[in-house]
Amino acid sequence: MKMRNDNFFYNPSLKQVILIVGIWIFSMVLLTMVITDLFTEIIWRKEHLIFYILMLSSTFSVAKFYDNYRKRNQ
C-alpha cells in the first residue's frame, strides 16, 4: 500500500493552481530577461545552459502540478 502525502502538490485547489502558474510565468519572464540582458542578446547561447535546465525542470514541475489538479477534479 502506498503512503501518499495529502499536501497541496498532490491535491491542489483552483486558487493554488492559478497562483503557481502565475508565479511560474513571472519567473520565466524574469529568467528570460536575465538570459538576454533585457532582450538585447539572443536567447539560444551555450553559456546559458544552467538557465535552460532550470526553466525546463520548472516547466515539468508545473505541468505535473496541473496534471494532479486535473486528475483530482475529473
Side-chain angles (χ1 to χ4, degrees):
M1 185 160 91
K2 282 187 175 179
M3 296 290 278
R4 190 172 217 184
N5 294 336
D6 286 334
N7 58 18
F8 79 95
F9 190 80
Y10 293 111
N11 293 317
S13 67
L14 181 60
K15 287 182 183 181
Q16 291 168 338
V17 170
I18 291 171
L19 179 67
I20 295 297
V21 169
I23 291 170
W24 173 74
I25 290 171
F26 183 69
S27 67
M28 292 298 113
V29 169
L30 287 179
L31 277 172
T32 304
M33 289 170 58
V34 166
I35 290 172
T36 60
D37 194 27
L38 293 175
F39 304 106
T40 59
E41 298 177 6
I42 61 172
I43 191 170
W44 305 114
R45 294 179 67 182
K46 191 176 182 179
E47 296 86 26
H48 305 303
L49 183 62
I50 191 71
F51 289 115
Y52 302 145
I53 293 169
L54 182 64
M55 292 171 83
L56 191 62
S57 65
S58 173
T59 302
F60 284 138
S61 296
V62 170
K64 179 63 178 164
F65 185 73
Y66 177 74
D67 190 47
N68 288 340
Y69 171 75
R70 188 181 53 80
K71 285 179 183 176
R72 185 180 143 219
N73 291 324
Q74 279 186 348

